[in-house]
Amino acid sequence: MFPADKKRVEAALAEANLPKGKFDTVKPDVFTEAAFKTFILNLCPRPEINEIFTSFTKGKGFMTKEMLTKFLNEKQRDSRLNEELFPLIRIEQVKNLIEKYEPSSSNASRGQISPEGLMFYLMGSETSVVKLDKLAQSHDMTQPIPHYFVKSSHNTYLTAGQLTGVSSPEMYRQCLLAGCRCLELDCWKGKPPDEEPIITHGFTMTTEILFKDVIEAIAASAFKTSKYPVVLSFENHVDSVKQQEKMAEYCRTIFGDALLVDVLEKYPLKAGHPMPSPSELMGKILIKNKKSSAPASKPEPAKKAPGPEQTNGAVDDPEPNQPADPNQPAPANPEAGDAPHTTDEREEHDDHDEQDEEKMKNSDEGTAGQEVTAYEEMSALVNYVQPNKFISFENAAKKNKSFVISSFVETKGESLIAKNAVDWAEYNKRQMSRIYPKGTRVDSSNYSPQPFWTAGCQFVALNYQTMDFPMQLNMALFEFNGRTGYILKHDVLRRNDKKFDPFTDRIDTIIASTLSIKIYSGQFLSDKSVKTGVEVELIGLPKDPKRKYRTKWSTTPNAINPEWNEEPFVFEKILLPEMAYLRLVVQEEGGKFLGHRIIPLDALQTGFQHVCLRSESNMPLTLPSLFVHIEVKDYIPAAFADFSDALFNPVKTSKPPKTESLTYVCEYELPVADGAAPAAVTDVKAAEEAPASSVTPAEGDAAPPAEHTPEPEPEPEPQPEAKPEPEPEPEPEPEAKPEPEPEPEPEPEAKPEEKTEPDPEPKSEESPEAAADAVVTETKESSEESPSDWSDVTTVTCEELQQHKNFLKVTKKQEKDLKDMEKKFQKKREELLQKYSDQFKALKKKNGGKKSGEDPGDQMNELKQKLKSELRALLVEQHDQIKKKKEQNNTERLTKLLEMATEKHCSETKALNRMKKCKSTEQLDNDNAQSADNSGADGSPQEQSLKKKQASTLASIRELISQLNKDAVAEHAKKMWSLPGDLSEAVNSCVQPHFPEHVEKAGESRSESSGQYSHVFVG
């Protein structure tokens, strides 16, 4: 081990008291866990972890429980998580971690952890770089099959290249065991005397294998790794009725009941009907083969093209599935199908064969365009995956057949993405697409699957013979969801109410993310003493950050524990995090590959992590790893960074974050309360008129009150223009609710003042936008006191903010979305009950004609249990989704309320400061300096009072949202508690019309399912 660092290894063995001689052996009883840890610590010291440890302990040799708790909550926690839904880690939990990882028992008893203990924790299972729940099966498997990405293989039988490779049935076993769910079989006519159909790559020197052997290999391994359906993509060149009948017979006898022959009753092969889901086709094998519309009367030559009238349906070419292309091999002699072959025609046909062979060697589609139509026996096996030639997206939308699949060579697919990406994404919401490599990839190389995934293509078939980057990316995606081979597409690629453009730079329903990653060090990267470096890349949508970062080469030839102390690499705006991948590649100086790792962004754990590397074939490497710090945050444009800080901490950031905003004078002023002196009224008027004419603070704050004190109204010209505007605007008055205030009638001047205050409103619509109305109306309510009496200053309340039209608009939209979600689940529930009601009806009808001795009870109970299982899953999903939606809505409400409150508080503070200046100017003009000093002295307590009330408003907002979250959780718990009763009621309603004797009595279901724990909520 590590021959280049022999001395280093020997020193580490000596420190661990282990023999270090060349021919020495280590006894098992000596090589304990403690000895191994000592050896590793000395062989691969971790100075970077010691630096992190010191930064938190500030020089102490240990970390207390409180320090470790702070470290976990600040550095290891995802900052996007809600603290109420995902509570911070507690000291009790930290104590358990210390006991688990601290090597010193004395430190553990004192609740302290050493640098070694922290290192062992950072290498433990709690800090896995991948979210473990994402690895397990976690996706909804009840959606139609077009809503999933399906792990697919191209030319599965080959073990190497496309021209001279060896074919083997073992490749089918290996692909199925790797979770592949779509396999390709290139079927050709067998030679006499046996005439057994064979599988090979046509017109090449690849070896041949028997069709029967392949079917047996598939039957043996189809459902070992995944229980979900397998699709067999036949490229059928067998133009013999007898041999096609053999193929069909092998499929029926070897696959047995696993072969799906009959169409499911709920999913007829009709336009407008959806496809079944993977869960409904569990354990089934589906055949994709050219399907004939009528039984063939005689063999059709392999090179014959369909007649002019045969432009759609199953007689079309399934594999190219695209309009005529000059590179596509031309069909031979289109008129030959209408008359028997003469000698001349056969000679001409042979000439065409030679031309076709040459074209196929150089074309993108290869032999795919030369298939024959299936005869009656093979055609009968084709149902939900019927290949059809692609004509146009408009034609496909008009036909609306979800069971029709079109195949595209990669070059044609790239052209469609460049020109019709939105249409293709819409097409893939309804039906399926299969992509396959171009025929000129004779070395079995692969194209990148990512562009086709972003367009929603389901079957992106790759050459499994080559473990290149595209194949590594494919394996990284399908490693998740329990390795089922099915990955549920993102919501934007499934929902019909919105179109998705892969080339967009903004997605309305998705919050973009910012990824920051710092590479600290590597461990055991190579057994050679070489310089190493790390390449960091993001794979995502076309408009995502495409920059590829690379560290410098390590300063010294050291592959055991190299360090890179560089700035973090930042990928600023990742539009769709669920379809983005982080790729880390370690190379030695000179570019030799040492290891890599590809992880989907939504499965990435934040904080300090050890990333275990993989080989080129994506197999885990035992020792090589990278130590990194990962941070994923919601994307905030740089222009709004200061505002976001103020939004998340409004009390701390009470002043506007930008210096130029300090010079801005708000048009909205605190109005004069009843009983104020006329001089004060004119001062306030002057203070309001100043910003309208000038924006500079020196002139807008002090000078205008002195100029306009004698006659404020005649001089300003904008006044007459602004007066007619407020009259047709009755909106501000109902919001401000000033009716209870003006009780004293002798002051008619205050009301005109209130009417003239909205004058600047049309001007303000350009800058404050959403919060303009709130600022105007709420300023009136909060500030109707005399400037001389500042002790009663008020601020906007949480209730007032909730009544604002901008907030009401948000809540109405949320309520509408929630109702739509409930309707969607209600529709699913009704469809499920109708489906089983029909099955119960069919069962009763089936057993009605039989003898009375035969009891259908077993079949009925089995059917009822299936209904219960599916209905329970649906109801649980409904309750969970509604709870999640409510929590998201509450977060949106919190953000909106804080935004409105922050802007209002800034306006109140500015208005208060300006009123103080206005009052001081008036008193100085009257030579009453003493009074001015008193008013200045009163300002400080008044500001404190305002800040306290503003803080109280913010606290009440958070309390409101917290209560809403608690209500959502309580409602979810209540629904889960009542789930058994609802389930029993729904099942009874479905069973009673057909089998009333099997209806469950009240409480029977709960007692059976819960037993002695029936009073405990275990949802």
Side-chain angles (χ1 to χ4, degrees), residues 639-837:
F640 298 101
D642 293 337
F643 177 74
S644 68
D645 293 339
L647 184 64
F648 284 104
N649 199 345
V651 177
K652 183 178 179 181
T653 321
S654 58
K655 293 184 179 181
K658 294 185 179 180
T659 54
E660 58 267 24
S661 64
L662 292 171
T663 65
Y664 176 72
V665 181
C666 183
E667 295 93 334
Y668 307 110
E669 302 300 331
L670 295 171
V672 180
D674 299 329
V681 174
T682 55
D683 285 341
V684 175
K685 275 189 181 180
E688 291 169 353
E689 290 160 6
S693 58
S694 175
V695 186
T696 33
E699 297 176 3
D701 287 342
E707 288 178 10
H708 299 289
T709 300
E711 278 184 301
E713 294 187 34
E715 282 193 21
E717 294 180 3
Q719 198 86 339
E721 298 178 19
K723 275 188 179 180
E725 292 182 6
E727 294 178 4
E729 290 183 34
E731 296 177 7
E733 293 185 357
E735 289 183 18
K737 300 179 183 178
E739 290 82 17
E741 299 287 336
E743 291 181 0
E745 298 181 6
E747 282 207 30
E749 294 176 341
K751 292 181 180 179
E753 190 67 16
E754 291 176 1
K755 289 183 180 180
T756 55
E757 277 193 327
D759 290 354
E761 185 170 324
K763 301 177 185 178
S764 65
E765 287 175 0
E766 298 176 2
S767 53
E769 292 182 358
D773 296 325
V775 175
V776 176
T777 57
E778 291 157 2
T779 304
K780 295 177 184 178
E781 293 181 340
S782 63
S783 307
E784 295 201 53
E785 291 98 25
S786 169
S788 60
D789 183 12
W790 292 348
S791 59
D792 296 329
V793 65
T794 59
T795 184
V796 66
T797 64
C798 178
E799 291 75 19
E800 291 169 348
L801 291 173
Q802 291 181 72
Q803 296 303 318
H804 190 267
K805 61 181 181 182
N806 289 340
F807 182 77
L808 293 176
K809 185 178 179 181
V810 171
T811 56
K812 286 180 181 178
K813 183 179 180 300
Q814 291 176 350
E815 291 170 359
K816 181 179 179 298
D817 293 344
L818 199 60
K819 287 181 180 177
D820 292 342
M821 179 183 286
E822 291 175 347
K823 287 179 181 178
K824 183 183 76 172
F825 278 105
Q826 181 64 25
K827 184 179 178 181
K828 285 185 178 180
R829 181 177 175 178
E830 291 172 357
E831 289 176 353
L832 182 65
L833 291 175
Q834 183 61 42
K835 165 190 166 184
Y836 277 92
S837 179

Side-chain angles (χ1 to χ4, degrees), residues 376-598:
E376 184 175 6
E377 289 298 319
M378 277 301 298
S379 185
L381 304 182
V382 182
N383 36 59
Y384 286 118
V385 193
Q386 296 187 17
N388 201 349
K389 183 175 182 179
F390 175 78
I391 299 174
S392 68
F393 294 116
E394 294 78 10
N395 180 70
K398 184 178 179 181
K399 289 186 176 180
N400 193 17
K401 295 180 178 179
S402 63
F403 54 87
V404 168
I405 182 173
S406 296
S407 295
F408 306 85
V409 69
E410 61 171 287
T411 50
K412 179 63 178 179
E414 289 167 356
S415 174
L416 285 176
I417 289 177
K419 298 176 183 178
N420 307 93
V422 177
D423 293 334
W424 203 3
E426 289 298 302
Y427 171 94
N428 287 323
K429 294 177 182 178
R430 178 182 60 255
Q431 56 196 86
M432 296 172 288
S433 297
R434 180 177 180 268
I435 317 299
Y436 61 97
K438 58 187 179 183
T440 53
R441 291 186 181 272
V442 294
D443 59 347
S444 293
S445 60
N446 285 300
Y447 57 91
S448 174
Q450 178 68 8
F452 300 102
W453 288 336
T454 59
C457 299
Q458 297 85 357
F459 298 89
V460 183
L462 299 178
N463 290 315
Y464 273 56
Q465 304 86 13
T466 306
M467 288 296 168
D468 50 9
F469 163 65
M471 191 62 203
Q472 292 166 359
L473 182 60
N474 186 69
M475 296 180 77
L477 173 67
F478 289 102
E479 181 181 352
F480 296 87
N481 195 33
R483 297 180 183 267
T484 57
Y486 285 82
I487 298 291
L488 184 64
K489 295 195 287 188
H490 190 275
D491 184 59
V492 297
L493 293 171
R494 293 183 284 120
R495 57 190 297 182
N496 294 319
D497 58 334
K498 282 187 178 291
K499 292 188 176 182
F500 175 66
D501 181 7
F503 293 93
T504 185
D505 58 358
R506 182 174 179 271
I507 305 174
D508 292 338
T509 56
I510 306 297
I511 299 175
S513 293
T514 297
L515 169 65
S516 172
I517 177 170
K518 181 173 182 177
I519 311 295
Y520 275 90
S521 64
Q523 294 77 45
F524 306 110
L525 300 180
S526 173
D527 57 358
K528 301 176 183 177
S529 183
V530 292
K531 292 184 178 181
T532 54
V534 182
E535 187 177 276
V536 183
E537 182 182 5
L538 182 81
I539 304 129
L541 296 182
K543 295 291 185 180
D544 279 344
K546 285 296 178 184
R547 185 170 178 179
K548 187 184 292 186
Y549 294 100
R550 185 193 294 271
T551 65
K552 296 177 182 178
W553 299 113
S554 54
T555 54
T556 59
N558 171 22
I560 292 182
N561 62 338
E563 289 187 60
W564 301 276
N565 192 13
E566 299 179 14
E567 290 297 315
F569 301 139
V570 180
F571 300 93
E572 191 174 21
K573 186 180 181 182
I574 304 169
L575 297 169
L576 191 55
E578 290 80 359
M579 291 195 66
Y581 307 86
L582 175 67
R583 182 177 185 239
L584 302 172
V585 182
V586 181
Q587 298 170 331
E588 68 177 46
E589 194 174 21
K592 182 183 176 182
F593 176 90
L594 294 178
H596 85 287
R597 189 69 183 272
I598 302 175

Side-chain angles (χ1 to χ4, degrees), residues 788 790 916 919-939:
S788 60
W790 292 348
K916 288 165 61 180
K919 182 171 181 181
S920 299
T921 304
E922 179 198 3
Q923 291 172 338
L924 287 172
D925 291 341
N926 294 331
D927 296 327
N928 193 352
Q930 183 179 358
S931 176
D933 293 339
N934 292 336
S935 66
D938 292 339

